[in-house]
Amino acid sequence: MDEYSLLKSKVDADIMLKLNGDKYTPLNVIIQTPDGLKKADYDLVKSVGGKVKDDLYIINAYSAEIPIDGLKKLILSPRIVKVFNDGKVRSM
């Protein structure tokens, strides 16, 4: 699988659009893993210039703030199952 296809399979449409933005712009994301937040995830996020914000253990995920350039690298990790935009949710 090529890099673009791998990125597309792991991120939602909103994140795909943002991946072409300024590489230093931080994005707030939710990152799902096979088994929740582990030390390796903290290390991985830090290595790409981001920071872990919250452990979302109920859904095997965590929230983080990561620069776009770092997010591209992070998504290619086999630890990452899916990446979602972390935004405000409003009821209708």
Side-chain angles (χ1 to χ4, degrees), residues 21-37:
D22 176 23
K23 66 181 184 177
Y24 301 109
T25 301
L27 295 179
N28 291 307
V29 293
I30 295 173
I31 300 168
Q32 191 172 31
T33 66
D35 54 1
L37 180 61

Side-chain angles (χ1 to χ4, degrees), residues 4-64:
Y4 177 79
S5 297
L6 184 59
L7 288 172
K8 192 172 178 183
S9 72
K10 289 188 175 186
V11 300
D12 67 21
D14 189 40
I15 296 291
M16 275 304 286
L17 293 173
K18 292 177 180 180
L19 286 178
N20 293 321
D22 176 23
K23 66 181 184 177
Y24 301 109
T25 301
L27 295 179
N28 291 307
V29 293
I30 295 173
I31 300 168
Q32 191 172 31
T33 66
D35 54 1
L37 180 61
K38 304 292 183 202
K39 181 178 181 325
D41 299 310
Y42 282 102
D43 295 342
L44 183 59
V45 169
K46 186 176 179 181
S47 77
V48 298
K51 64 179 181 177
V52 173
K53 295 178 3 181
D54 291 307
D55 184 355
L56 307 172
Y57 60 90
I58 293 173
I59 59 171
N60 286 336
Y62 57 93
S63 63

